[in-house]
Amino acid sequence: MAKGRSVTHTIKTPQNTETGSLDSTKPTSEILKGSETMRLEEEAKEFRAKKRHSVPPKPMTSRIYLIGMAMNALLSRSQGPVRREEIRREAEEWADFMLDD
């Protein structure tokens, strides 16, 4: 083998379709039988219901939008660790400055 050339080795594993492992070639719906599929669907519906928030989001004001834009610019120009309080304060100052007429 020539110097500097890399060699890629692949490992072949036996397929295990009974447990529904990742190396299965069959679709999941064929592996899972009736009641298992229904149980998974019910569990997924319960999970999605838990994630939904009942509180409506706050409307985005122009001040909040400008704070986000200023914070984005401040974070992108900073190098190394930054203090969140300082970034937030400076972003709020920039937003207030831009809103002053």
Side-chain angles (χ1 to χ4, degrees), residues 74-93:
L74 292 169
L75 287 172
S76 67
R77 76 170 185 172
S78 65
Q79 296 176 355
V82 294
R83 293 188 51 159
R84 286 186 264 172
E85 299 86 18
E86 292 177 14
I87 294 290
R88 180 179 180 180
R89 180 189 50 75
E90 192 173 351
E92 289 173 346
E93 288 175 4

Side-chain angles (χ1 to χ4, degrees), residues 33-66:
K33 303 296 180 216
S35 64
E36 294 178 19
T37 304
M38 292 301 292
R39 189 178 62 212
L40 285 175
E41 288 176 11
E42 291 170 7
E43 183 180 340
K45 288 177 185 177
E46 289 174 8
F47 179 76
R48 289 192 70 189
K50 286 181 186 177
K51 287 186 75 172
R52 293 196 177 134
H53 301 297
S54 60
V55 179
K58 287 184 355 183
M60 183 178 293
T61 63
S62 57
R63 183 174 188 270
I64 293 173
Y65 177 79
L66 290 172

